[in-house]
Amino acid sequence: DHQGIGYLSLLMDERFESWLLQKKFSKISSIEEYIRELASLPQIDDQICWHSLSEGWLDDQEFGELYDLCRFESANKNINQPIDQVMLSLKNELGTEWRRHCYYFTKDEALIGISIPHIEMGTEDEGRLFYFGVVPSLRGQGLGVKIHKISLALLKNFRANYYVGSTDVNNSHMIKIFEKNGCELRDRKGIYKIIK
């Protein structure tokens, strides 16, 4: 295979699904995209603390390990890349100030999750989360809604006027988080893959 590339993955409008399937692509899943204006945000939970990686309390490796833990048994069906590749993508996409965008969250001094808010490349005010997650042992306790709400405030601090988030259609927990934090469904796309 060319330069070690073993497969090609596409995110595409599902209107083109039959054409893609004829071209030997297989469907992995579908994602739903949500949007929310950031002009006014609800009160955030003051029992949760957050720090950016740039503050130096955690090192890059510890953040990577926490990131890897948060994505363990995620409901998203994307292929999990090795964490080293994910961290490299993070640095490449967010640039030299990437640590300023990497947040970790604590409650009662225990690590509970991460979020990576940033302005989408090529836009001036579209807020995105490169990743957002809660440690597996604490899922189902409402912490995801609280961390996501704080992440929206962080995006506003980065001068985002609106937020766009997406998740696998089967990730009912994330869909509930979007809905509880005032996000509205905007679009749905398919994820397709072809193996060389």
Side-chain angles (χ1 to χ4, degrees):
D1 53 0
H2 183 62
Q3 296 178 356
I5 299 169
Y7 68 91
L8 173 66
S9 181
L10 293 175
L11 182 63
M12 200 124 171
D13 190 309
E14 290 179 326
R15 291 178 302 170
F16 303 104
E17 185 168 308
S18 60
W19 181 83
L20 287 168
L21 296 175
Q22 287 173 357
K23 300 292 180 192
K24 307 294 186 227
F25 278 83
S26 57
K27 187 170 189 179
I28 305 300
S29 190
S30 296
I31 63 151
E32 290 186 342
E33 196 172 73
Y34 286 77
I35 190 166
R36 188 196 200 285
E37 296 293 325
L38 298 177
S40 62
L41 293 171
Q43 188 80 22
I44 56 177
D45 188 327
D46 61 2
Q47 294 181 344
I48 294 175
C49 298
W50 58 93
H51 298 277
S52 83
L53 190 55
S54 64
E55 293 174 49
W57 297 101
L58 282 187
D59 65 28
D60 296 355
Q61 183 177 341
E62 290 169 320
F63 186 81
E65 289 167 1
L66 180 59
Y67 191 144
D68 207 24
L69 177 63
C70 287
R71 67 186 190 149
F72 180 71
E73 293 187 343
S74 167
N76 289 324
K77 294 195 177 176
N78 285 342
I79 295 158
N80 264 350
Q81 295 179 309
I83 196 64
D84 293 346
Q85 282 184 346
V86 172
M87 294 298 285
L88 185 61
S89 295
L90 179 60
K91 294 170 194 176
N92 289 338
E93 187 168 324
L94 301 183
T96 56
E97 295 285 306
W98 67 274
R99 288 179 185 88
R100 202 168 66 91
H101 297 274
C102 295
Y103 284 85
Y104 56 95
F105 298 81
T106 62
K107 185 173 182 182
D108 301 325
E109 298 184 22
L111 291 166
I112 61 171
I114 70 165
S115 178
I116 307 173
H118 67 99
I119 301 296
E120 181 69 3
M121 197 182 301
T123 76
E124 291 183 13
D125 62 349
E126 180 181 304
R128 294 266 185 161
L129 299 181
F130 184 93
Y131 187 78
F132 159 84
V134 176
V135 297
S137 62
L138 298 174
R139 290 178 188 154
Q141 299 178 26
L143 293 173
V145 173
K146 293 173 182 178
I147 292 172
H148 188 262
K149 194 183 296 180
I150 294 166
S151 300
L152 296 178
L154 291 168
L155 282 169
K156 191 173 180 181
N157 289 345
F158 282 122
R159 296 202 164 101
N161 286 322
Y162 63 100
Y163 162 68
V164 177
S166 59
T167 193
D168 193 279
V169 292
N170 299 306
N171 191 342
S172 59
H173 297 294
M174 191 66 217
I175 290 169
K176 284 178 187 163
I177 288 170
F178 286 143
E179 291 169 348
K180 285 182 179 176
N181 283 333
C183 304
E184 295 180 359
L185 182 63
R186 178 170 87 167
D187 199 6
R188 183 176 172 148
K189 291 186 171 84
I191 304 172
Y192 306 91
K193 175 180 163 182
I194 191 167
I195 298 173
K196 282 194 83 169

